[in-house]
Amino acid sequence: MKFQGTGEYVATPDLQMAVNAAITLQRPLLLKGEPGTGKTMLAEQLATSLGTDLIQWHIKSTTKAHQGLYEYDAVSRLRDSQLGTDKVHDISNYIIKGKLWEAFTADKPVVLLIDEIDKADIEFPNDLLLELDKMEFFVYETQERVVATHRPIILITSNNEKELPDAFLRRCFFHYIDFPDRDTMKAIVDVHYPHIQKDLVREALDVFFDVRKVPGLKKKPSTSELIDWLKLLMADDVGVDVLRNKDHSKAIPPMYGALVKNEQDVQLLEKLAFMSRRKG
């Protein structure tokens, strides 16, 4: 079964190719791209498309690789030994399964999302090389070897906060999700709001892409922020004529808090009056 997107997710031909190539090669798919371009949502929709489960491992700065395999709760075992609990004699009662263990022992091939891997320590990817390559790991406390029953489809996302090691990159199929062009963005909007006014979408996309073109912008608005902004425009019944406003003293679009996320960018937009292209 080939992934071709879903009714809720617009996948470009390049992205479809990358997903299907990673599945064919049985390698993790490493996804990079601007925040808000749908990297995490892709994993959700891929699982839906394939009719399987999604296991999500959200990485934090404090996350360690072994937590994805398992953790040994020595503190609970010590407490239970002091209380004289019978289960203390079986160490497996204190082994907490991680997300990789869940994915390896699932009764069918699942989609495993390792989200924002670049947030973790630089050694984090290297610490998972063997497990992702061999699809197995060893539990030292119980002397048990866990081998994947079915090889999961692994998606790994990164926002480029840190460089990833070459040895890790070599084991992945890489794809950079380009920011959607206008036609693709319109298709995305149609998926979310099929009954939205076409004139409103056209004017909103003009404003949105104008904001993204502003030089020196600290954070460009993303796809998810456009979707939020359109929802607010419809909720407040903002008319098309408001978006066409030629008054340069009102350079900031209505409900701008959904698009612009820091005061430096607000000040910049006020100074540049990005809607000046509407003169005449």
Side-chain angles (χ1 to χ4, degrees), residues 89-114:
H89 302 295
D90 185 356
I91 196 171
S92 64
N93 290 322
Y94 304 94
I95 300 296
I96 303 171
K97 296 179 180 180
K99 298 298 183 181
L100 266 70
W101 192 329
E102 290 181 31
F104 284 5
T105 56
D107 58 4
K108 60 182 177 180
V110 299
V111 175
L112 171 64
L113 171 64
I114 304 177

mmCIF file of all heavy atoms in Angstrom, residues 89-114:
data_model
loop_
_atom_site.group_PDB
_atom_site.id
_atom_site.type_symbol
_atom_site.label_atom_id
_atom_site.label_comp_id
_atom_site.label_asym_id
_atom_site.label_seq_id
_atom_site.Cartn_x
_atom_site.Cartn_y
_atom_site.Cartn_z
ATOM 1 N N HIS A 89 10.532 -10.095 44.423
ATOM 2 C CA HIS A 89 11.419 -11.179 44.003
ATOM 3 C C HIS A 89 11.481 -11.338 42.481
ATOM 4 O O HIS A 89 12.368 -12.010 41.978
ATOM 5 C CB HIS A 89 10.971 -12.493 44.647
ATOM 6 C CG HIS A 89 10.946 -12.440 46.143
ATOM 7 N ND1 HIS A 89 12.091 -12.284 46.900
ATOM 8 C CD2 HIS A 89 9.905 -12.485 47.027
ATOM 9 C CE1 HIS A 89 11.769 -12.247 48.186
ATOM 10 N NE2 HIS A 89 10.447 -12.367 48.286
ATOM 11 N N ASP A 90 10.541 -10.716 41.778
ATOM 12 C CA ASP A 90 10.540 -10.768 40.314
ATOM 13 C C ASP A 90 10.915 -9.395 39.778
ATOM 14 O O ASP A 90 10.108 -8.471 39.794
ATOM 15 C CB ASP A 90 9.157 -11.187 39.800
ATOM 16 C CG ASP A 90 9.127 -11.381 38.289
ATOM 17 O OD1 ASP A 90 10.165 -11.109 37.634
ATOM 18 O OD2 ASP A 90 8.072 -11.786 37.766
ATOM 19 N N ILE A 91 12.145 -9.278 39.299
ATOM 20 C CA ILE A 91 12.656 -7.966 38.872
ATOM 21 C C ILE A 91 11.893 -7.410 37.678
ATOM 22 O O ILE A 91 11.854 -6.188 37.459
ATOM 23 C CB ILE A 91 14.169 -8.067 38.564
ATOM 24 C CG1 ILE A 91 14.794 -6.662 38.517
ATOM 25 C CG2 ILE A 91 14.413 -8.820 37.264
ATOM 26 C CD1 ILE A 91 16.302 -6.688 38.432
ATOM 27 N N SER A 92 11.247 -8.286 36.911
ATOM 28 C CA SER A 92 10.510 -7.808 35.739
ATOM 29 C C SER A 92 9.338 -6.906 36.131
ATOM 30 O O SER A 92 8.838 -6.137 35.305
ATOM 31 C CB SER A 92 9.988 -8.991 34.909
ATOM 32 O OG SER A 92 9.049 -9.748 35.642
ATOM 33 N N ASN A 93 8.888 -6.986 37.374
ATOM 34 C CA ASN A 93 7.817 -6.109 37.846
ATOM 35 C C ASN A 93 8.257 -4.645 37.891
ATOM 36 O O ASN A 93 7.407 -3.757 38.020
ATOM 37 C CB ASN A 93 7.347 -6.533 39.237
ATOM 38 C CG ASN A 93 6.593 -7.853 39.219
ATOM 39 O OD1 ASN A 93 5.826 -8.119 38.297
ATOM 40 N ND2 ASN A 93 6.809 -8.688 40.232
ATOM 41 N N TYR A 94 9.545 -4.411 37.789
ATOM 42 C CA TYR A 94 10.068 -3.047 37.929
ATOM 43 C C TYR A 94 10.719 -2.556 36.638
ATOM 44 O O TYR A 94 11.436 -1.573 36.635
ATOM 45 C CB TYR A 94 11.060 -3.002 39.093
ATOM 46 C CG TYR A 94 10.439 -3.493 40.372
ATOM 47 C CD1 TYR A 94 10.564 -4.823 40.766
ATOM 48 C CD2 TYR A 94 9.661 -2.638 41.155
ATOM 49 C CE1 TYR A 94 9.951 -5.289 41.918
ATOM 50 C CE2 TYR A 94 9.045 -3.092 42.308
ATOM 51 C CZ TYR A 94 9.193 -4.421 42.682
ATOM 52 O OH TYR A 94 8.576 -4.875 43.830
ATOM 53 N N ILE A 95 10.441 -3.263 35.560
ATOM 54 C CA ILE A 95 10.906 -2.838 34.247
ATOM 55 C C ILE A 95 9.775 -2.077 33.558
ATOM 56 O O ILE A 95 8.681 -2.617 33.359
ATOM 57 C CB ILE A 95 11.334 -4.041 33.376
ATOM 58 C CG1 ILE A 95 12.477 -4.809 34.046
ATOM 59 C CG2 ILE A 95 11.733 -3.580 31.989
ATOM 60 C CD1 ILE A 95 13.755 -4.020 34.197
ATOM 61 N N ILE A 96 10.023 -0.827 33.235
ATOM 62 C CA ILE A 96 9.017 0.022 32.578
ATOM 63 C C ILE A 96 9.343 0.076 31.086
ATOM 64 O O ILE A 96 10.405 0.548 30.684
ATOM 65 C CB ILE A 96 9.024 1.442 33.171
ATOM 66 C CG1 ILE A 96 8.777 1.381 34.681
ATOM 67 C CG2 ILE A 96 7.972 2.313 32.493
ATOM 68 C CD1 ILE A 96 8.984 2.711 35.379
ATOM 69 N N LYS A 97 8.437 -0.426 30.272
ATOM 70 C CA LYS A 97 8.672 -0.481 28.828
ATOM 71 C C LYS A 97 8.648 0.908 28.199
ATOM 72 O O LYS A 97 7.807 1.737 28.525
ATOM 73 C CB LYS A 97 7.618 -1.363 28.157
ATOM 74 C CG LYS A 97 7.662 -2.814 28.589
ATOM 75 C CD LYS A 97 6.577 -3.624 27.895
ATOM 76 C CE LYS A 97 6.619 -5.090 28.340
ATOM 77 N NZ LYS A 97 5.570 -5.894 27.670
ATOM 78 N N GLY A 98 9.592 1.140 27.291
ATOM 79 C CA GLY A 98 9.653 2.398 26.563
ATOM 80 C C GLY A 98 8.901 2.318 25.240
ATOM 81 O O GLY A 98 8.322 1.284 24.882
ATOM 82 N N LYS A 99 8.931 3.405 24.492
ATOM 83 C CA LYS A 99 8.176 3.481 23.240
ATOM 84 C C LYS A 99 8.717 2.526 22.183
ATOM 85 O O LYS A 99 7.947 1.946 21.403
ATOM 86 C CB LYS A 99 8.197 4.925 22.712
ATOM 87 C CG LYS A 99 7.547 5.940 23.634
ATOM 88 C CD LYS A 99 6.073 5.638 23.845
ATOM 89 C CE LYS A 99 5.405 6.713 24.707
ATOM 90 N NZ LYS A 99 3.977 6.426 24.952
ATOM 91 N N LEU A 100 10.046 2.339 22.130
ATOM 92 C CA LEU A 100 10.591 1.389 21.164
ATOM 93 C C LEU A 100 10.170 -0.035 21.505
ATOM 94 O O LEU A 100 9.873 -0.831 20.610
ATOM 95 C CB LEU A 100 12.119 1.493 21.110
ATOM 96 C CG LEU A 100 12.684 2.427 20.023
ATOM 97 C CD1 LEU A 100 12.384 3.873 20.357
ATOM 98 C CD2 LEU A 100 14.173 2.216 19.833
ATOM 99 N N TRP A 101 10.167 -0.347 22.783
ATOM 100 C CA TRP A 101 9.728 -1.682 23.212
ATOM 101 C C TRP A 101 8.269 -1.900 22.782
ATOM 102 O O TRP A 101 7.916 -2.962 22.251
ATOM 103 C CB TRP A 101 9.876 -1.818 24.724
ATOM 104 C CG TRP A 101 9.720 -3.213 25.256
ATOM 105 C CD1 TRP A 101 8.936 -4.203 24.751
ATOM 106 C CD2 TRP A 101 10.372 -3.771 26.409
ATOM 107 N NE1 TRP A 101 9.041 -5.347 25.511
ATOM 108 C CE2 TRP A 101 9.915 -5.113 26.539
ATOM 109 C CE3 TRP A 101 11.270 -3.279 27.351
ATOM 110 C CZ2 TRP A 101 10.337 -5.945 27.564
ATOM 111 C CZ3 TRP A 101 11.699 -4.113 28.375
ATOM 112 C CH2 TRP A 101 11.243 -5.428 28.484
ATOM 113 N N GLU A 102 7.431 -0.903 23.002
ATOM 114 C CA GLU A 102 6.024 -0.999 22.585
ATOM 115 C C GLU A 102 5.917 -1.245 21.084
ATOM 116 O O GLU A 102 5.128 -2.085 20.630
ATOM 117 C CB GLU A 102 5.277 0.282 22.944
ATOM 118 C CG GLU A 102 5.040 0.504 24.428
ATOM 119 C CD GLU A 102 4.266 1.788 24.674
ATOM 120 O OE1 GLU A 102 3.447 2.166 23.810
ATOM 121 O OE2 GLU A 102 4.497 2.427 25.713
ATOM 122 N N ALA A 103 6.707 -0.500 20.315
ATOM 123 C CA ALA A 103 6.648 -0.630 18.854
ATOM 124 C C ALA A 103 7.166 -1.982 18.392
ATOM 125 O O ALA A 103 6.616 -2.598 17.472
ATOM 126 C CB ALA A 103 7.443 0.492 18.204
ATOM 127 N N PHE A 104 8.236 -2.474 19.048
ATOM 128 C CA PHE A 104 8.839 -3.741 18.654
ATOM 129 C C PHE A 104 7.910 -4.927 18.929
ATOM 130 O O PHE A 104 7.931 -5.918 18.205
ATOM 131 C CB PHE A 104 10.160 -3.957 19.394
ATOM 132 C CG PHE A 104 11.300 -3.125 18.863
ATOM 133 C CD1 PHE A 104 11.111 -2.187 17.866
ATOM 134 C CD2 PHE A 104 12.573 -3.293 19.374
ATOM 135 C CE1 PHE A 104 12.153 -1.419 17.382
ATOM 136 C CE2 PHE A 104 13.643 -2.534 18.897
ATOM 137 C CZ PHE A 104 13.429 -1.591 17.895
ATOM 138 N N THR A 105 7.125 -4.841 19.979
ATOM 139 C CA THR A 105 6.301 -5.988 20.392
ATOM 140 C C THR A 105 4.831 -5.839 20.011
ATOM 141 O O THR A 105 3.996 -6.638 20.447
ATOM 142 C CB THR A 105 6.414 -6.196 21.915
ATOM 143 O OG1 THR A 105 6.048 -4.978 22.592
ATOM 144 C CG2 THR A 105 7.843 -6.575 22.301
ATOM 145 N N ALA A 106 4.509 -4.821 19.220
ATOM 146 C CA ALA A 106 3.127 -4.661 18.759
ATOM 147 C C ALA A 106 2.734 -5.846 17.877
ATOM 148 O O ALA A 106 3.576 -6.475 17.233
ATOM 149 C CB ALA A 106 2.978 -3.349 17.995
ATOM 150 N N ASP A 107 1.438 -6.142 17.837
ATOM 151 C CA ASP A 107 0.982 -7.317 17.085
ATOM 152 C C ASP A 107 0.842 -7.049 15.594
ATOM 153 O O ASP A 107 0.406 -7.923 14.832
ATOM 154 C CB ASP A 107 -0.337 -7.835 17.657
ATOM 155 C CG ASP A 107 -1.435 -6.777 17.650
ATOM 156 O OD1 ASP A 107 -1.193 -5.674 17.130
ATOM 157 O OD2 ASP A 107 -2.535 -7.061 18.173
ATOM 158 N N LYS A 108 1.207 -5.838 15.147
ATOM 159 C CA LYS A 108 1.211 -5.500 13.723
ATOM 160 C C LYS A 108 2.202 -4.361 13.511
ATOM 161 O O LYS A 108 2.597 -3.687 14.470
ATOM 162 C CB LYS A 108 -0.190 -5.083 13.267
ATOM 163 C CG LYS A 108 -0.754 -3.874 13.998
ATOM 164 C CD LYS A 108 -2.167 -3.544 13.524
ATOM 165 C CE LYS A 108 -2.757 -2.370 14.311
ATOM 166 N NZ LYS A 108 -4.133 -2.047 13.856
ATOM 167 N N PRO A 109 2.638 -4.135 12.278
ATOM 168 C CA PRO A 109 3.562 -3.013 12.044
ATOM 169 C C PRO A 109 2.892 -1.684 12.396
ATOM 170 O O PRO A 109 1.798 -1.382 11.926
ATOM 171 C CB PRO A 109 3.850 -3.100 10.537
ATOM 172 C CG PRO A 109 3.500 -4.492 10.147
ATOM 173 C CD PRO A 109 2.369 -4.905 11.046
ATOM 174 N N VAL A 110 3.535 -0.901 13.238
ATOM 175 C CA VAL A 110 2.984 0.382 13.664
ATOM 176 C C VAL A 110 3.856 1.512 13.128
ATOM 177 O O VAL A 110 4.955 1.282 12.610
ATOM 178 C CB VAL A 110 2.905 0.475 15.204
ATOM 179 C CG1 VAL A 110 2.000 -0.603 15.754
ATOM 180 C CG2 VAL A 110 4.305 0.389 15.821
ATOM 181 N N VAL A 111 3.342 2.720 13.249
ATOM 182 C CA VAL A 111 4.135 3.913 12.931
ATOM 183 C C VAL A 111 4.700 4.452 14.237
ATOM 184 O O VAL A 111 3.949 4.726 15.176
ATOM 185 C CB VAL A 111 3.281 4.989 12.231
ATOM 186 C CG1 VAL A 111 4.092 6.271 12.027
ATOM 187 C CG2 VAL A 111 2.766 4.475 10.886
ATOM 188 N N LEU A 112 6.018 4.570 14.298
ATOM 189 C CA LEU A 112 6.693 5.107 15.483
ATOM 190 C C LEU A 112 7.225 6.493 15.157
ATOM 191 O O LEU A 112 8.033 6.657 14.241
ATOM 192 C CB LEU A 112 7.839 4.191 15.915
ATOM 193 C CG LEU A 112 8.764 4.735 17.014
ATOM 194 C CD1 LEU A 112 7.998 4.938 18.318
ATOM 195 C CD2 LEU A 112 9.950 3.802 17.229
ATOM 196 N N LEU A 113 6.764 7.487 15.894
ATOM 197 C CA LEU A 113 7.227 8.859 15.716
ATOM 198 C C LEU A 113 8.208 9.225 16.815
ATOM 199 O O LEU A 113 7.862 9.183 17.998
ATOM 200 C CB LEU A 113 6.038 9.835 15.744
ATOM 201 C CG LEU A 113 6.394 11.325 15.773
ATOM 202 C CD1 LEU A 113 7.122 11.748 14.495
ATOM 203 C CD2 LEU A 113 5.154 12.184 15.993
ATOM 204 N N ILE A 114 9.438 9.560 16.425
ATOM 205 C CA ILE A 114 10.421 10.118 17.357
ATOM 206 C C ILE A 114 10.476 11.609 17.049
ATOM 207 O O ILE A 114 11.091 12.040 16.071
ATOM 208 C CB ILE A 114 11.802 9.449 17.185
ATOM 209 C CG1 ILE A 114 11.678 7.926 17.357
ATOM 210 C CG2 ILE A 114 12.796 10.013 18.196
ATOM 211 C CD1 ILE A 114 12.982 7.176 17.141
#
